[in-house]
Amino acid sequence: MQNLAHRLERLGTETAFSVAQAAAAWKAQGNTVFPFHLGDINIPTAPNIIEAMNRAIADGHTGYCPGPGIPQLREALAEDIGSRRGITFGPDNVVVMTGGKPVITKFLQAVMNPGEEVLYPNPGFPIYESQIEYLGGTAVPYRYVPTESGFAIDLDQIRASITPNTTAIIYNDLQNPISAESTAAEREAVAKLAIEHDLWVLSDEAYFETRYEGVSSSIAALPGMAERTVILYTFSKKFAMTGSRLGCAVAPLQIAQVLSKLNTNDESCTTHYVQWAGIEALRGPQDSVQSMLDVLKGRRDAACELVNAIPGFQVAVPQSTFYLFPDVTEAMERLGHSAVGDFATAALHNTGMSFCTREHFGRRLAGEDRQYIRLAYSGIETADIRLGLGRLREWIESA
Protein backbone atom coordinates (compact mmCIF):
# COMPACT_ATOMS: atom_id res chain seq x y z
CA MET A 1 0.00 0.00 0.00
CA GLN A 2 1.29 3.45 -0.92
CA ASN A 3 2.28 5.77 1.93
CA LEU A 4 0.66 9.16 2.42
CA ALA A 5 2.60 12.39 2.82
CA HIS A 6 4.29 12.74 6.21
CA ARG A 7 3.06 16.32 6.65
CA LEU A 8 -0.49 15.00 7.08
CA GLU A 9 0.58 13.83 10.53
CA ARG A 10 0.89 17.51 11.47
CA LEU A 11 -2.54 18.49 10.16
CA GLY A 12 -5.15 19.23 12.80
CA THR A 13 -8.82 19.98 12.31
CA GLU A 14 -11.68 22.05 13.62
CA THR A 15 -12.75 19.60 16.30
CA ALA A 16 -16.05 21.40 16.96
CA PHE A 17 -17.38 19.37 14.03
CA SER A 18 -16.72 16.13 15.95
CA VAL A 19 -18.90 17.51 18.75
CA ALA A 20 -21.59 18.16 16.15
CA GLN A 21 -21.39 14.53 15.03
CA ALA A 22 -21.82 13.28 18.59
CA ALA A 23 -24.78 15.61 19.07
CA ALA A 24 -26.37 14.42 15.83
CA ALA A 25 -25.95 10.79 16.86
CA TRP A 26 -27.56 11.47 20.24
CA LYS A 27 -30.44 13.31 18.56
CA ALA A 28 -30.91 10.44 16.07
CA GLN A 29 -31.70 8.20 19.04
CA GLY A 30 -34.72 10.35 19.80
CA ASN A 31 -33.14 12.65 22.36
CA THR A 32 -33.47 16.43 22.59
CA VAL A 33 -30.27 18.35 21.83
CA PHE A 34 -29.52 21.99 22.61
CA PRO A 35 -26.85 22.95 20.01
CA PHE A 36 -24.34 25.26 21.66
CA HIS A 37 -21.38 23.65 19.88
CA LEU A 38 -20.98 25.30 16.45
CA GLY A 39 -20.58 28.99 15.71
CA ASP A 40 -23.06 28.79 12.85
CA ILE A 41 -25.99 31.21 12.62
CA ASN A 42 -29.61 30.09 12.45
CA ILE A 43 -30.73 33.50 11.18
CA PRO A 44 -31.34 33.55 7.40
CA THR A 45 -29.23 35.59 5.02
CA ALA A 46 -31.07 38.83 4.21
CA PRO A 47 -33.49 38.56 1.24
CA ASN A 48 -31.82 41.39 -0.71
CA ILE A 49 -28.50 39.50 -0.59
CA ILE A 50 -30.13 36.28 -1.78
CA GLU A 51 -31.91 38.19 -4.57
CA ALA A 52 -28.60 39.72 -5.68
CA MET A 53 -27.04 36.26 -5.82
CA ASN A 54 -29.92 34.83 -7.83
CA ARG A 55 -29.89 37.84 -10.15
CA ALA A 56 -26.18 37.35 -10.76
CA ILE A 57 -26.80 33.73 -11.70
CA ALA A 58 -29.60 34.77 -14.05
CA ASP A 59 -27.31 37.40 -15.58
CA GLY A 60 -24.75 34.73 -16.40
CA HIS A 61 -22.13 35.42 -13.72
CA THR A 62 -21.43 31.70 -13.41
CA GLY A 63 -18.03 31.39 -15.04
CA TYR A 64 -14.46 32.23 -14.11
CA CYS A 65 -13.57 35.66 -12.84
CA PRO A 66 -10.31 37.35 -11.74
CA GLY A 67 -8.32 35.43 -9.12
CA PRO A 68 -8.17 38.29 -6.59
CA GLY A 69 -11.90 38.98 -6.99
CA ILE A 70 -14.12 41.05 -9.26
CA PRO A 71 -13.14 44.74 -9.28
CA GLN A 72 -16.54 45.93 -8.04
CA LEU A 73 -16.32 43.82 -4.88
CA ARG A 74 -12.69 44.69 -4.19
CA GLU A 75 -13.55 48.37 -4.45
CA ALA A 76 -16.54 47.99 -2.11
CA LEU A 77 -14.46 46.05 0.42
CA ALA A 78 -11.59 48.52 0.37
CA GLU A 79 -14.00 51.38 1.00
CA ASP A 80 -16.03 49.65 3.71
CA ILE A 81 -13.19 48.02 5.65
CA GLY A 82 -10.99 51.09 5.43
CA SER A 83 -13.65 53.58 6.48
CA ARG A 84 -14.62 51.52 9.52
CA ARG A 85 -11.00 51.35 10.66
CA GLY A 86 -9.77 54.80 9.75
CA ILE A 87 -7.36 53.45 7.13
CA THR A 88 -7.14 54.19 3.41
CA PHE A 89 -7.11 51.04 1.28
CA GLY A 90 -7.34 50.63 -2.47
CA PRO A 91 -8.84 47.71 -4.40
CA ASP A 92 -5.33 46.37 -5.00
CA ASN A 93 -4.98 45.78 -1.24
CA VAL A 94 -7.98 43.42 -1.29
CA VAL A 95 -7.82 39.76 -2.26
CA VAL A 96 -11.19 37.98 -2.22
CA MET A 97 -11.25 34.42 -0.92
CA THR A 98 -13.66 31.58 -0.18
CA GLY A 99 -14.30 32.68 3.40
CA GLY A 100 -11.95 33.79 6.14
CA LYS A 101 -10.21 30.47 6.73
CA PRO A 102 -8.09 30.50 3.52
CA VAL A 103 -6.61 33.83 4.63
CA ILE A 104 -4.89 32.02 7.51
CA THR A 105 -3.29 29.40 5.28
CA LYS A 106 -2.24 31.80 2.53
CA PHE A 107 -0.85 34.34 4.98
CA LEU A 108 1.38 31.63 6.45
CA GLN A 109 2.41 30.43 2.99
CA ALA A 110 3.38 33.99 2.11
CA VAL A 111 5.42 34.94 5.19
CA MET A 112 6.59 31.76 6.96
CA ASN A 113 9.46 29.49 5.94
CA PRO A 114 9.69 25.91 7.25
CA GLY A 115 11.13 25.91 10.74
CA GLU A 116 10.24 29.52 11.51
CA GLU A 117 8.14 30.36 14.55
CA VAL A 118 4.68 31.92 14.58
CA LEU A 119 2.97 33.11 17.75
CA TYR A 120 -0.73 32.28 18.02
CA PRO A 121 -3.46 32.61 20.69
CA ASN A 122 -4.26 29.61 22.84
CA PRO A 123 -7.12 29.04 23.55
CA GLY A 124 -7.81 30.15 20.01
CA PHE A 125 -9.24 29.12 16.66
CA PRO A 126 -7.70 25.65 16.16
CA ILE A 127 -6.85 26.19 12.49
CA TYR A 128 -4.04 28.58 13.49
CA GLU A 129 -2.11 25.81 15.22
CA SER A 130 -3.01 23.25 12.57
CA GLN A 131 -1.82 25.29 9.59
CA ILE A 132 1.39 26.56 11.17
CA GLU A 133 2.50 23.01 11.86
CA TYR A 134 1.16 21.54 8.61
CA LEU A 135 3.16 24.06 6.61
CA GLY A 136 6.33 23.20 8.50
CA GLY A 137 6.47 26.07 10.97
CA THR A 138 6.81 25.99 14.73
CA ALA A 139 3.59 26.97 16.49
CA VAL A 140 4.35 29.00 19.63
CA PRO A 141 1.24 29.58 21.76
CA TYR A 142 0.57 32.63 23.87
CA ARG A 143 -1.95 32.47 26.67
CA TYR A 144 -4.67 34.57 28.26
CA VAL A 145 -5.19 35.25 31.94
CA PRO A 146 -8.63 35.66 33.52
CA THR A 147 -9.72 39.12 34.68
CA GLU A 148 -12.94 40.51 36.15
CA SER A 149 -14.04 41.60 32.68
CA GLY A 150 -13.00 38.44 30.82
CA PHE A 151 -9.48 37.61 29.65
CA ALA A 152 -6.28 39.50 28.89
CA ILE A 153 -3.25 38.50 26.83
CA ASP A 154 -0.23 37.48 28.89
CA LEU A 155 2.07 40.09 27.37
CA ASP A 156 5.04 38.99 29.48
CA GLN A 157 4.76 35.52 28.01
CA ILE A 158 4.64 36.92 24.47
CA ARG A 159 7.79 38.96 25.13
CA ALA A 160 9.56 35.90 26.51
CA SER A 161 8.46 33.76 23.55
CA ILE A 162 9.84 35.95 20.75
CA THR A 163 13.15 34.73 19.34
CA PRO A 164 15.27 35.66 16.31
CA ASN A 165 13.40 32.84 14.55
CA THR A 166 9.95 34.39 15.12
CA THR A 167 8.46 35.66 11.86
CA ALA A 168 4.83 36.47 12.64
CA ILE A 169 2.10 36.76 15.23
CA ILE A 170 -1.55 35.86 14.79
CA TYR A 171 -3.72 38.32 16.71
CA ASN A 172 -7.45 37.74 17.16
CA ASP A 173 -9.07 40.73 18.82
CA LEU A 174 -12.75 39.95 19.62
CA GLN A 175 -11.61 36.43 20.06
CA ASN A 176 -13.07 32.99 19.37
CA PRO A 177 -13.58 31.07 21.68
CA ILE A 178 -13.15 33.29 24.73
CA SER A 179 -14.74 36.56 23.48
CA ALA A 180 -11.74 38.52 24.75
CA GLU A 181 -11.30 42.06 23.45
CA SER A 182 -8.05 43.95 23.83
CA THR A 183 -7.90 47.23 25.66
CA ALA A 184 -6.25 50.06 23.74
CA ALA A 185 -3.14 49.58 25.88
CA GLU A 186 -2.98 45.86 25.14
CA ARG A 187 -3.44 46.43 21.40
CA GLU A 188 -0.68 49.04 21.42
CA ALA A 189 1.62 46.69 23.33
CA VAL A 190 1.17 43.94 20.74
CA ALA A 191 1.82 46.44 17.95
CA LYS A 192 4.96 47.70 19.70
CA LEU A 193 6.32 44.16 19.93
CA ALA A 194 5.55 43.50 16.25
CA ILE A 195 7.42 46.65 15.20
CA GLU A 196 10.32 46.12 17.60
CA HIS A 197 10.91 42.56 16.36
CA ASP A 198 9.89 43.20 12.73
CA LEU A 199 7.05 40.67 12.75
CA TRP A 200 4.27 40.16 10.25
CA VAL A 201 0.81 40.30 11.83
CA LEU A 202 -2.34 38.44 10.85
CA SER A 203 -5.21 40.36 12.44
CA ASP A 204 -8.22 38.05 12.48
CA GLU A 205 -11.16 40.48 12.49
CA ALA A 206 -13.99 38.03 11.79
CA TYR A 207 -16.06 39.49 14.65
CA PHE A 208 -15.10 43.15 14.18
CA GLU A 209 -18.73 44.17 13.69
CA THR A 210 -20.40 41.46 15.77
CA ARG A 211 -20.59 43.57 18.91
CA TYR A 212 -23.30 44.85 21.23
CA GLU A 213 -21.62 47.75 23.02
CA GLY A 214 -18.60 49.90 22.28
CA VAL A 215 -16.67 50.40 19.05
CA SER A 216 -14.11 48.06 17.50
CA SER A 217 -10.56 49.15 16.67
CA SER A 218 -8.04 47.49 14.37
CA ILE A 219 -4.38 46.99 15.20
CA ALA A 220 -3.70 47.83 11.54
CA ALA A 221 -4.73 51.45 12.22
CA LEU A 222 -1.91 52.01 14.73
CA PRO A 223 1.24 53.83 13.53
CA GLY A 224 3.64 51.57 11.68
CA MET A 225 1.21 48.65 11.46
CA ALA A 226 -0.57 48.94 8.08
CA GLU A 227 2.59 47.93 6.21
CA ARG A 228 3.06 44.74 8.25
CA THR A 229 -0.55 43.65 8.91
CA VAL A 230 -2.93 41.42 6.95
CA ILE A 231 -6.58 41.79 7.98
CA LEU A 232 -8.80 38.71 7.81
CA TYR A 233 -12.36 39.71 6.87
CA THR A 234 -15.37 37.46 6.40
CA PHE A 235 -18.99 37.89 5.37
CA SER A 236 -19.96 34.82 7.42
CA LYS A 237 -20.67 36.45 10.77
CA LYS A 238 -21.82 39.98 9.97
CA PHE A 239 -24.19 38.98 7.16
CA ALA A 240 -25.17 35.43 8.22
CA MET A 241 -23.47 34.04 5.10
CA THR A 242 -21.53 31.13 6.63
CA GLY A 243 -22.38 28.72 3.80
CA SER A 244 -21.71 31.22 1.02
CA ARG A 245 -17.96 31.04 1.73
CA LEU A 246 -16.96 34.62 1.06
CA GLY A 247 -14.22 36.65 2.70
CA CYS A 248 -11.03 38.48 1.91
CA ALA A 249 -7.56 39.50 2.98
CA VAL A 250 -6.69 43.18 3.16
CA ALA A 251 -2.93 43.38 2.86
CA PRO A 252 0.08 45.48 1.92
CA LEU A 253 0.57 45.33 -1.86
CA GLN A 254 3.64 43.09 -1.53
CA ILE A 255 1.57 40.45 0.29
CA ALA A 256 -1.63 41.02 -1.70
CA GLN A 257 0.16 40.11 -4.94
CA VAL A 258 1.37 36.84 -3.41
CA LEU A 259 -2.08 36.01 -2.05
CA SER A 260 -3.59 36.63 -5.47
CA LYS A 261 -1.10 34.23 -7.02
CA LEU A 262 -1.93 31.62 -4.39
CA ASN A 263 -5.63 32.04 -5.24
CA THR A 264 -4.88 31.26 -8.87
CA ASN A 265 -3.01 28.13 -7.86
CA ASP A 266 -5.57 26.90 -5.32
CA GLU A 267 -9.10 27.76 -6.48
CA SER A 268 -8.68 29.83 -9.66
CA CYS A 269 -11.25 32.24 -8.22
CA THR A 270 -13.98 32.67 -5.64
CA THR A 271 -17.48 31.79 -6.86
CA HIS A 272 -18.43 34.57 -9.25
CA TYR A 273 -22.12 35.07 -8.43
CA VAL A 274 -21.47 34.95 -4.67
CA GLN A 275 -19.24 38.00 -5.07
CA TRP A 276 -22.16 40.00 -6.47
CA ALA A 277 -24.11 39.03 -3.37
CA GLY A 278 -21.19 40.40 -1.35
CA ILE A 279 -21.49 43.78 -3.08
CA GLU A 280 -25.17 43.94 -2.16
CA ALA A 281 -24.34 42.96 1.43
CA LEU A 282 -21.90 45.85 1.73
CA ARG A 283 -23.79 48.52 -0.20
CA GLY A 284 -27.42 47.53 0.21
CA PRO A 285 -29.74 48.12 3.18
CA GLN A 286 -28.15 47.33 6.56
CA ASP A 287 -31.36 46.81 8.54
CA SER A 288 -30.83 43.05 8.70
CA VAL A 289 -27.39 43.49 10.26
CA GLN A 290 -28.76 45.50 13.17
CA SER A 291 -31.75 43.18 13.48
CA MET A 292 -29.44 40.18 13.83
CA LEU A 293 -27.31 41.97 16.42
CA ASP A 294 -30.45 42.74 18.43
CA VAL A 295 -31.40 39.05 18.38
CA LEU A 296 -27.91 37.94 19.35
CA LYS A 297 -27.73 40.49 22.16
CA GLY A 298 -30.96 39.12 23.60
CA ARG A 299 -29.51 35.63 23.46
CA ARG A 300 -26.29 36.80 25.08
CA ASP A 301 -28.12 38.48 27.94
CA ALA A 302 -30.29 35.43 28.60
CA ALA A 303 -27.34 33.02 28.40
CA CYS A 304 -25.10 35.08 30.71
CA GLU A 305 -27.81 35.43 33.33
CA LEU A 306 -28.54 31.71 33.30
CA VAL A 307 -24.91 30.57 33.16
CA ASN A 308 -23.98 32.64 36.19
CA ALA A 309 -26.90 31.09 38.09
CA ILE A 310 -25.52 27.57 37.66
CA PRO A 311 -23.58 26.37 40.71
CA GLY A 312 -19.86 26.25 39.89
CA PHE A 313 -20.16 28.30 36.67
CA GLN A 314 -18.75 31.79 36.19
CA VAL A 315 -18.51 34.00 33.10
CA ALA A 316 -18.06 37.70 32.35
CA VAL A 317 -20.53 39.39 29.98
CA PRO A 318 -18.74 39.89 26.64
CA GLN A 319 -19.36 42.93 24.45
CA SER A 320 -18.74 41.08 21.20
CA THR A 321 -18.79 37.76 19.31
CA PHE A 322 -21.44 35.17 20.12
CA TYR A 323 -19.53 32.94 22.50
CA LEU A 324 -19.33 32.43 26.25
CA PHE A 325 -16.32 30.74 27.84
CA PRO A 326 -17.36 30.00 31.42
CA ASP A 327 -15.11 28.60 34.11
CA VAL A 328 -16.75 25.30 35.14
CA THR A 329 -14.06 24.00 37.50
CA GLU A 330 -16.22 23.94 40.64
CA ALA A 331 -19.19 22.43 38.79
CA MET A 332 -17.02 19.58 37.53
CA GLU A 333 -15.69 18.95 41.01
CA ARG A 334 -19.25 18.86 42.32
CA LEU A 335 -20.09 16.13 39.78
CA GLY A 336 -16.82 14.23 40.31
CA HIS A 337 -15.37 14.90 36.84
CA SER A 338 -11.66 15.63 36.35
CA ALA A 339 -11.66 15.59 32.52
CA VAL A 340 -13.67 18.31 30.80
CA GLY A 341 -14.40 16.01 27.84
CA ASP A 342 -16.09 13.50 30.16
CA PHE A 343 -18.08 16.36 31.69
CA ALA A 344 -19.27 17.43 28.24
CA THR A 345 -20.36 13.89 27.32
CA ALA A 346 -22.19 13.50 30.61
CA ALA A 347 -23.92 16.85 30.10
CA LEU A 348 -25.11 15.79 26.64
CA HIS A 349 -26.49 12.49 27.89
CA ASN A 350 -28.10 13.92 31.02
CA THR A 351 -29.40 17.28 29.77
CA GLY A 352 -29.11 17.40 25.97
CA MET A 353 -26.63 20.29 26.21
CA SER A 354 -24.03 20.04 23.43
CA PHE A 355 -20.95 22.28 23.70
CA CYS A 356 -17.24 22.44 22.99
CA THR A 357 -14.57 22.48 25.68
CA ARG A 358 -11.26 24.22 26.17
CA GLU A 359 -9.58 21.16 24.58
CA HIS A 360 -11.14 21.99 21.21
CA PHE A 361 -9.18 25.26 20.92
CA GLY A 362 -5.51 24.36 21.05
CA ARG A 363 -3.35 22.13 23.20
CA ARG A 364 -3.66 22.76 26.91
CA LEU A 365 -0.69 24.76 28.14
CA ALA A 366 1.56 23.93 31.07
CA GLY A 367 0.21 25.25 34.35
CA GLU A 368 -3.45 25.42 33.30
CA ASP A 369 -5.50 24.31 36.27
CA ARG A 370 -8.96 25.72 35.49
CA GLN A 371 -11.61 24.05 33.35
CA TYR A 372 -13.62 25.89 30.68
CA ILE A 373 -16.31 25.16 28.11
CA ARG A 374 -17.47 27.22 25.11
CA LEU A 375 -21.13 28.01 24.58
CA ALA A 376 -22.05 29.39 21.14
CA TYR A 377 -25.49 31.06 21.15
CA SER A 378 -25.63 32.03 17.47
CA GLY A 379 -27.51 28.92 16.38
CA ILE A 380 -30.08 28.44 19.13
CA GLU A 381 -33.25 30.36 19.95
CA THR A 382 -33.60 32.19 23.26
CA ALA A 383 -36.36 29.86 24.44
CA ASP A 384 -34.09 26.86 23.89
CA ILE A 385 -31.18 28.68 25.55
CA ARG A 386 -33.34 29.03 28.65
CA LEU A 387 -34.57 25.45 28.50
CA GLY A 388 -31.15 23.88 27.90
CA LEU A 389 -29.30 25.91 30.52
CA GLY A 390 -32.17 25.32 32.92
CA ARG A 391 -31.75 21.57 32.53
CA LEU A 392 -28.00 21.92 32.99
CA ARG A 393 -28.55 23.84 36.21
CA GLU A 394 -31.00 21.25 37.54
CA TRP A 395 -28.57 18.43 36.76
CA ILE A 396 -25.68 20.10 38.54
CA GLU A 397 -27.82 21.18 41.50
CA SER A 398 -28.98 17.59 41.96
CA ALA A 399 -25.42 16.29 42.32
Side-chain angles (χ1 to χ4, degrees), residues 183-200:
T183 62
E186 182 178 271
R187 193 177 300 111
E188 289 165 5
V190 174
K192 182 179 178 181
L193 287 169
I195 294 169
E196 179 182 346
H197 296 277
D198 196 22
L199 304 180
W200 291 106

Side-chain angles (χ1 to χ4, degrees), residues 106-366:
K106 292 171 185 175
F107 167 81
L108 293 169
Q109 287 178 297
V111 307
M112 183 193 74
N113 293 305
E116 290 182 337
E117 298 168 356
V118 175
L119 294 161
Y120 72 100
N122 186 330
F125 190 47
I127 301 305
Y128 304 148
E129 185 178 84
S130 171
Q131 285 299 303
I132 294 167
E133 295 186 344
Y134 177 68
L135 294 169
T138 300
V140 180
Y142 62 86
R143 63 176 170 243
Y144 291 78
V145 292
T147 72
E148 289 186 0
S149 59
F151 295 88
I153 294 173
D154 188 337
L155 292 168
D156 289 336
Q157 189 212 10
I158 288 186
R159 291 187 186 98
S161 299
I162 297 174
T163 74
N165 201 35
T166 306
T167 190
I169 180 170
I170 297 175
Y171 174 65
N172 182 200
D173 205 353
L174 287 71
Q175 205 251 32
N176 172 23
I178 65 178
S179 293
E181 179 178 4
S182 286
T183 62
E186 182 178 271
R187 193 177 300 111
E188 289 165 5
V190 174
K192 182 179 178 181
L193 287 169
I195 294 169
E196 179 182 346
H197 296 277
D198 196 22
L199 304 180
W200 291 106
V201 177
L202 175 63
S203 183
D204 185 341
E205 300 183 7
Y207 299 92
F208 192 85
E209 290 160 82
T210 305
R211 63 175 311 126
Y212 315 110
E213 296 92 17
V215 178
S216 297
S217 298
S218 174
I219 195 171
L222 294 175
M225 291 303 295
E227 57 264 37
R228 66 177 65 251
T229 302
V230 174
I231 294 173
L232 181 158
Y233 177 93
T234 175
F235 287 78
S236 294
K237 315 303 181 185
K238 179 180 178 180
F239 297 109
M241 293 176 67
T242 54
S244 296
R245 308 315 303 140
L246 184 63
C248 77
V250 186
L253 292 179
Q254 175 191 8
I255 298 294
Q257 291 168 357
V258 175
L259 299 178
S260 178
K261 191 173 184 178
L262 288 167
N263 272 10
T264 302
N265 276 266
D266 288 353
E267 303 94 16
S268 294
C269 59
T270 300
T271 305
H272 194 170
Y273 52 83
V274 172
Q275 295 189 52
W276 288 96
I279 296 170
E280 175 63 23
L282 292 168
R283 294 191 162 163
Q286 300 297 299
D287 303 16
S288 61
V289 175
Q290 186 58 53
S291 176
M292 181 168 66
L293 286 174
D294 291 342
V295 170
L296 292 174
K297 183 178 185 293
R299 294 178 184 180
R300 179 205 65 175
D301 293 345
C304 286
E305 178 185 354
L306 292 163
V307 164
N308 282 320
I310 298 173
F313 275 50
Q314 183 178 1
V315 71
V317 179
Q319 293 188 334
S320 62
T321 80
F322 35 66
Y323 306 111
L324 302 181
F325 200 69
D327 185 325
V328 298
T329 308
E330 278 73 30
M332 286 177 54
E333 292 173 353
R334 182 182 181 121
L335 291 166
H337 287 287
S338 58
V340 71
D342 293 341
F343 171 68
T345 299
L348 175 65
H349 293 168
N350 284 277
T351 72
M353 283 285 295
S354 176
F355 50 77
C356 295
T357 73
R358 186 268 177 266
E359 266 66 13
H360 294 102
F361 300 100
R363 301 184 188 98
R364 184 176 285 269
L365 304 178

Side-chain angles (χ1 to χ4, degrees), residues 35-62:
F36 285 86
H37 47 267
L38 277 182
D40 204 352
I41 303 173
N42 69 340
I43 299 170
T45 305
N48 63 303
I49 299 175
I50 298 298
E51 290 166 7
M53 190 182 304
N54 290 336
R55 187 165 58 249
I57 294 172
D59 289 345
H61 296 302
T62 55

